[in-house]
Amino acid sequence: MEMLSIPYIRFNKFDNEWFSKKLDLVSNVTMGQSPDSKNYTDNPNDYILVQGNADMQNGRVVPRVWTTQITKLAEKGDLILSVRAPVGDIGTTDYPVVLGRGVAAIRGNDFLFYLLSRMKQTNYWAKFSTGSTFESINSNDIKSAEICLPSQDEQSAIGSLFRTLDDLLASYKDNLANYQSLKATMLSKMFPKAGQTVPEIRLDGFEGEWEEKEFIQIVNRVTESSDSDSLPKVEFEDIISGQGKLNKDISSKFDNRKGILFKPGYTLYGKLRPYLNNWFLPKFEGVALGDFWVFDPNGNNSDFIYYLVQSSRYQKVANDTSGTKMPRSDWKSVSTTIFAIPQTIAEQQAIGSYFSNLDNLINSYQEKITQLETLKKKLLQDMFI
């Protein structure tokens, strides 16, 4: 007897109850079978082989390995389900592909794709997974899976909604990657390379050579300590690596541990494992706990100093570390390295503003992506049964 039910959230124009069916009564399921490895090739003219999750990115098959031997085939548009660790990952294929034993093909639409995505999200397959070190599900587990579904029209509406969300997410992620790439490029080109006094790329309205100084002449390294229990404490774990943002509210993170006192506009630079990119430009007074250097901009523009330590030239010397397990930047090396800086505060401010605006764009897209992913997760939970 078929079970009837309705989801928590649905489009207003639909009111029919959903019904439950086994997956193999709704769709064709094809289990994979690996070709002989001697038939694997790197020739794009051969058949694309999908062996598992490694052959899918962002819900799409990405050709990586080819084969001359056909075992089991999936058609263009089929859904590809990972049946071995990680069990339940789902993608689609834009090409006919040969299926290895790590995947199964399911004939389906966008609704079924997102229903299977939800099953992954809710750990549906975990109860079937076998093997303590290598999880897997079998043909019977997949074919006998009970799924709830509505009319074809409602399936189309739901599938279209989630496809639109994913397209928007992909657009935001592309924009984020482009701005991150632009920032990385500009950090290498808007600060002069060793031995040069003019940057490769310069903002309009500025000319003349930059002034060469040792880093110790550009900033004051702050060493004053404090154990104040009325100032917030900043630790490595509070900073999002490479983003210069706090991952939590530390405004009331008070205790009497001792660290380096910092003021608004001072740059915090994590000298332990510098490749982790723990840098931060605070707008408040506080105490830095752990292996931080704290830099007073020493009359220079604080934003400029903050981005100078992110530049390719600074990063190269800061990451020339000693120690294998706990590498640290070497102050003697960093402090005596010569950097060229603009002779006018106006150019420093312009460079600082340029990168600050880039960071704001990057942060904006990161927030949009987080919000959309949260919305999608909620809707997957509430628009399916």
Side-chain angles (χ1 to χ4, degrees), residues 63-259:
R64 185 178 65 101
V65 181
W66 290 262
T67 179
T68 57
Q69 178 188 358
I70 298 176
T71 49
K72 296 295 184 70
L73 274 173
E75 295 181 7
K76 177 181 177 180
D78 280 356
L79 312 182
I80 308 297
L81 179 72
S82 173
V83 301
R84 294 186 165 205
V87 171
D89 280 2
I90 187 72
T92 59
T93 178
D94 297 319
Y95 333 87
V97 296
V98 173
L99 302 169
R101 63 178 179 171
V103 293
I106 299 171
R107 191 69 38 83
N109 54 18
D110 280 342
F111 173 85
L112 193 54
F113 174 85
Y114 290 106
L115 174 60
L116 288 164
S117 298
R118 181 181 185 272
M119 291 166 74
K120 168 67 175 179
Q121 177 180 295
T122 57
N123 294 316
Y124 174 87
W125 303 107
K127 59 188 175 184
F128 301 110
S129 293
T130 58
S132 56
T133 58
F134 194 81
E135 292 184 332
S136 65
I137 50 177
N138 60 38
S139 174
N140 187 59
D141 297 331
I142 299 170
K143 292 180 178 180
S144 62
E146 290 280 342
I147 61 171
C148 288
L149 62 163
S151 67
Q152 284 294 333
D153 285 346
E154 191 169 2
Q155 288 184 42
S156 295
I158 293 170
S160 178
L161 169 66
F162 281 96
R163 184 58 62 194
T164 300
L165 277 178
D166 270 354
D167 288 345
L168 192 55
L169 266 171
S171 172
Y172 284 163
K173 287 177 179 178
D174 283 345
N175 284 324
L176 173 61
N178 289 337
Y179 282 120
Q180 288 173 327
S181 177
L182 175 62
K183 180 182 176 182
T185 299
M186 291 306 181
L187 282 171
S188 73
K189 295 182 180 295
M190 288 181 67
F191 293 89
K193 293 178 170 58
Q196 299 182 0
T197 56
V198 177
E200 189 176 337
I201 294 177
R202 197 169 193 178
L203 297 175
D204 290 342
F206 299 102
E207 57 185 18
E209 293 189 353
W210 287 19
E211 186 177 6
E212 291 187 307
K213 291 183 176 181
E214 288 187 344
F215 190 68
I216 199 171
Q217 297 174 303
I218 297 172
V219 301
N220 288 326
R221 180 183 161 196
V222 179
T223 57
E224 181 183 353
S225 63
S226 172
D227 59 1
S228 170
D229 60 3
S230 61
L231 290 174
K233 304 298 194 298
V234 176
E235 302 177 74
F236 270 40
E237 65 182 32
D238 302 323
I239 299 173
I240 302 174
S241 174
Q243 296 183 30
K245 295 191 300 184
L246 297 175
N247 55 30
K248 63 175 76 73
D249 179 8
I250 65 163
S251 59
S252 58
K253 186 179 177 181
F254 304 134
D255 55 52
N256 60 2
R257 287 178 292 169
K258 182 178 286 189

Side-chain angles (χ1 to χ4, degrees), residues 203 206 345-355:
L203 297 175
F206 299 102
I345 291 295
E347 187 169 7
Q348 290 187 20
Q349 289 173 335
I351 293 168
S353 294
Y354 174 85
F355 282 104

